[in-house]
Amino acid sequence: MAPVQKTSRRNFIRNASLGIGSLALSPTLIQLAAAKPAKKLGIALVGLGYYSGGQLAPALQQTQHCYLAGIVTGTPSKAVDWAKKYNIQQKNIYNYQNFDEIAKNPDIDIVYVVLPVSMHKEYTIRAAQAGKHVICEKPMALNAADCKDMIAACKKANRLLSIGYRLHFEPHTIELMRLGQKQVYGKVKSIDTGNGFTYGGDPNAWRLKKALAGGGGLMDMGIYSIQGSRYTLGQEPIRVKATQEKTKPDLFKEVDETVFWELQFPGGQKVTGKSSYNHDWGYLKAEAEKGNFELGPAFGYGGIDGKVNGSQMQFPQINQQAAQMDDFALCVTQNKQSRVPGEEGLKDMLVVDAIYRSLDSGKWEKIG
Ligand code: NAD
């Protein structure tokens, strides 16, 4: 069993009894108390690379409803370092060979897949079959067909699946969604968005191998711009036309470097996007009938900023990963679908698949 967190259990009992005692006065308090798990749920991170080590493990030191209970790694020295640094019990450390034994471990409630993209499907399905709820990093899989298999496997195992879309918990982004979807300044007429960075890493990294990454800047960075367009409008795109540019063919032999696209939505809005491994972009600008709003930086975790009709947005910076994982822990406790379920990852991958088809055909391609 995962350790019972004394303070949260004490609070839970206290809140629950307070709620019962003041039934007529405070129904909200009862709901709050019921929503709070009695113990922190245990998360196991699978793949201890940059994102797990630099963001997720530190965020799990700040979470209220879940904690870093276990790890899965193929590198024995990392197992030693992480166990020491994060006080992880030996019985909660797995490698890729004995991973399925995690089924027998009640300390682990949630498996978080933080591996190269080509491994997302296998480890999501194996985790669900081991009886664990799953968070899978973006992009969800190599293609939409794999996303569908992952969703089906989690449904069959009766486990919840969520994608690591941290921005859905970020205050500026939530405001952007509200402004766009609620048509606060009238209908959004156009969106322009781009996301990318100048790749200066290992030329042999998995990110540059098609079999492991599925693609380049589009899969890794463009997915944020695609999703940004979808969540600003609250609609699903119908067709897409894309072009690409390659200035470093030796480095980006197997994957896309810079991709430009136009998305057609049912409302007829003009929506353009771009992604890159060779440009530092990170913005989303929306023009509505009676105003405009934008985020920039729009997609990172080093601070999000934005403007509405030229005035700076005033929202706090939060730890996006902590908020995202805490929300999923509550979803698991309440057996409630996450606001970023597998279906959300699938919708983005349907667009990505169509963009790659358009790059091949040179034509508009239907999405889905
Ligand atoms: P990384 O290369 O730093 O880490 C990948 C980990 O997988 C390493 O620990 C590596 O040892 C392990 N691994 C196991 N089998 C492997 C294999 N066959 N080949 C290569 N590595 C293997 O990558 P990362 O930057 O941590 O990215 C991991 C995932 O997290 C990706 O899906 C990425 O898109 C996602 N990510 C998300 C965000 C975000 O903001 N949500 C940020 C960064 C990365």
Side-chain angles (χ1 to χ4, degrees):
M1 284 293 288
V4 172
Q5 302 293 310
K6 283 193 185 124
T7 48
S8 58
R9 164 155 280 207
R10 207 185 300 128
N11 283 341
F12 174 75
I13 293 165
R14 202 197 54 196
N15 287 346
S17 56
L18 236 183
I20 290 161
S22 52
L23 200 70
L25 293 172
S26 184
T28 345
L29 199 58
I30 300 168
Q31 278 159 10
L32 273 176
K36 204 169 175 190
K39 69 173 180 77
K40 285 190 176 187
L41 301 188
I43 293 195
L45 296 176
V46 188
L48 308 181
Y50 159 77
Y51 195 54
S52 281
Q55 303 301 326
L56 297 176
L60 282 163
Q61 311 311 304
Q62 296 184 28
T63 40
Q64 309 285 311
H65 306 303
C66 50
Y67 75 106
L68 180 57
I71 47 175
V72 182
T73 176
T75 315
S77 61
K78 280 192 198 167
V80 174
D81 294 347
W82 277 63
K84 209 162 118 193
K85 186 167 181 188
Y86 293 112
N87 197 20
I88 296 167
Q89 296 184 58
Q90 209 54 41
K91 66 182 179 66
N92 293 351
I93 300 176
Y94 295 87
N95 56 45
Y96 297 105
Q97 283 70 48
N98 67 15
F99 171 71
D100 304 286
E101 289 173 20
I102 209 164
K104 293 183 240 150
N105 191 335
D107 284 4
I108 312 297
D109 301 288
I110 296 164
V111 164
Y112 197 150
V113 180
V114 203
L115 290 164
V117 184
S118 62
M119 300 171 80
H120 288 184
K121 176 181 172 179
E122 179 187 340
Y123 281 88
T124 294
I125 293 177
R126 280 170 70 180
Q129 287 173 349
K132 306 302 174 187
H133 301 281
V134 188
I135 309 176
C136 175
E137 256 315 314
K138 49 58 59 177
M140 182 171 169
L142 292 175
N143 51 55
D146 283 357
C147 297
K148 288 179 187 166
D149 290 346
M150 292 157 77
I151 292 167
C154 291
K155 272 208 177 104
K156 191 166 171 215
N158 197 21
R159 298 294 87 179
L160 291 174
L161 170 61
S162 178
I163 307 304
Y165 285 144
R166 54 185 164 71
L167 287 162
H168 285 249
F169 307 90
E170 197 286 318
H172 301 77
T173 311
I174 291 170
E175 176 65 357
L176 178 95
M177 293 176 190
R178 188 185 74 86
L179 295 173
Q181 294 179 22
K182 302 266 184 231
Q183 303 186 354
V184 172
Y185 295 102
K187 286 188 182 146
V188 173
K189 293 185 303 185
S190 68
I191 292 175
D192 181 44
T193 171
N195 197 29
F197 71 98
T198 307
Y199 187 90
D202 178 4
N204 296 310
W206 66 264
R207 276 192 165 77
L208 304 187
K209 308 243 186 278
K210 188 160 171 45
L212 292 171
L218 177 63
M219 290 281 284
D220 194 15
M221 306 303 285
I223 199 119
Y224 290 93
S225 281
I226 290 166
Q227 195 180 99
S229 306
R230 291 181 44 245
Y231 60 58
T232 304
L233 293 175
Q235 293 175 8
E236 296 308 320
I238 309 162
R239 295 201 309 162
V240 67
K241 186 161 191 302
T243 56
Q244 67 177 319
E245 179 184 278
K246 213 171 256 199
T247 61
K248 295 176 180 166
D250 289 344
L251 186 59
F252 303 111
K253 266 196 295 284
E254 297 188 23
V255 300
D256 48 281
E257 179 185 312
T258 301
V259 177
F260 305 90
W261 63 86
E262 186 174 346
L263 283 171
Q264 194 182 81
F265 279 82
Q269 305 90 339
K270 184 165 176 60
V271 179
T272 50
K274 57 193 179 191
S275 61
S276 187
Y277 268 166
N278 201 36
H279 292 279
D280 300 320
W281 294 323
Y283 71 91
L284 186 148
K285 296 181 181 189
E287 282 287 339
E289 287 165 323
K290 291 177 259 169
N292 58 69
F293 41 93
E294 63 183 84
L295 295 186
F299 305 115
Y301 36 77
I304 305 286
D305 210 346
K307 286 185 189 152
V308 180
N309 296 322
S311 299
Q312 216 70 33
M313 282 183 178
Q314 303 289 341
F315 292 103
Q317 302 298 333
I318 63 156
N319 186 313
Q320 299 173 27
Q321 290 85 356
Q324 170 215 325
M325 290 187 280
D326 262 344
D327 183 81
F328 189 61
L330 286 178
C331 287
V332 168
T333 312
Q334 298 165 25
N335 192 22
K336 189 182 95 181
Q337 182 84 290
S338 157
R339 74 180 80 162
V340 281
E343 284 78 0
E344 193 62 27
L346 167 63
K347 285 173 186 166
D348 288 333
M349 282 311 301
L350 287 168
V351 181
V352 169
D353 283 358
I355 290 178
Y356 283 128
R357 284 201 303 276
S358 177
L359 289 179
D360 284 343
S361 71
K363 295 183 181 150
W364 282 92
E365 291 287 342
K366 208 166 155 259
I367 295 165

